Amino acid sequence: MFEIPKLKHTTSGNFFLLAGPCAIEGEDMALQIAERLKEITDKLQIPLVFKGSYRKANRSRLDSFQGIGDEKALRILQKVGETFNVPTVTDIHETHEAALAAAYVDVLQIPAFLCRQTDLLVAAAETGKVVNIKKGQFLSGAAMRFAVDKVRESGNEKIILTDRGNSFGYSDLVVDFRNLPEMQANQVPVVMDVTHSLQQPNQSSGVTGGKPALIETIAKAAIAVGADGLFIETHPQPSIAKSDGANMLPLDQLEGLMQKLIRIRQAVL
């Protein structure tokens, strides 16, 4: 069972990390990524939650990759958790998915576009799992208190909030770091979704773009202002990832980035 790290610090003094591929593409790939993530985070004493979407419901085009099958992908997430003794997180999109996903993972994630969906929040809360709510691109950090209230009033105090940038024009996002302390005012851990914050959505091609060269910049800034955790999508070869490859971090760059971020964390504690 995943226990939310204490606010501001974990037992190691580090931030915690939600990381993995955007989507579960297959068992071998998921286990390969999880093994490397486990090696890195154990070495650096960073609490890890393995992330993978079992289905991608929010796609620009009908022919975009959506998944390998719900239960097949969820079973892979379960195997990752059991093999490496790490908690797992996946996103849900409709109320009936809450109980389904909760049977396989430790954390249910509410996508940013759905953070105001009352029935979805209540369904996630009622599973008793940790609920990670992504802040809508159209909301301020302060406005997320209403999403927190919905989960708490449904009897669940196990809540994480995640920022993933704000809409800026039609095809870009910008990170307003005021959102992090505003969301921390709810007395819940706050995560910075580094890679999704660098998306360039709504491109004319129907394929989301991104600015992965700025991953380190956003991650460093988030740790400097006191983020409790980071969310980073990573893949051995982002260029061939079936979803969101344009803004993923190459897996071989993760350890070096984490080492830099730990030094910043130690400096600001």
Side-chain angles (χ1 to χ4, degrees), residues 64-65 69-70 77 79-80 113 146 159 174 246:
S64 297
F65 174 78
D70 292 358
L77 280 164
K79 184 171 183 177
V80 166
F113 283 133
F146 301 109
I159 304 164
V174 66

Side-chain angles (χ1 to χ4, degrees), residues 138-159:
F138 43 86
L139 290 176
S140 68
M144 287 300 290
R145 70 183 178 91
F146 301 109
V148 170
D149 288 345
K150 289 174 183 179
V151 175
R152 282 181 169 152
E153 290 170 15
S154 300
N156 191 335
E157 292 285 342
K158 294 179 287 187
I159 304 164

Side-chain angles (χ1 to χ4, degrees), residues 27-45:
E27 182 174 308
D28 290 345
M29 177 66 72
L31 292 171
Q32 175 191 347
I33 295 172
E35 181 177 25
R36 183 61 183 136
L37 288 174
K38 179 68 170 169
E39 291 171 352
I40 294 169
T41 54
D42 279 356
K43 176 182 176 181
L44 300 178
Q45 295 186 287

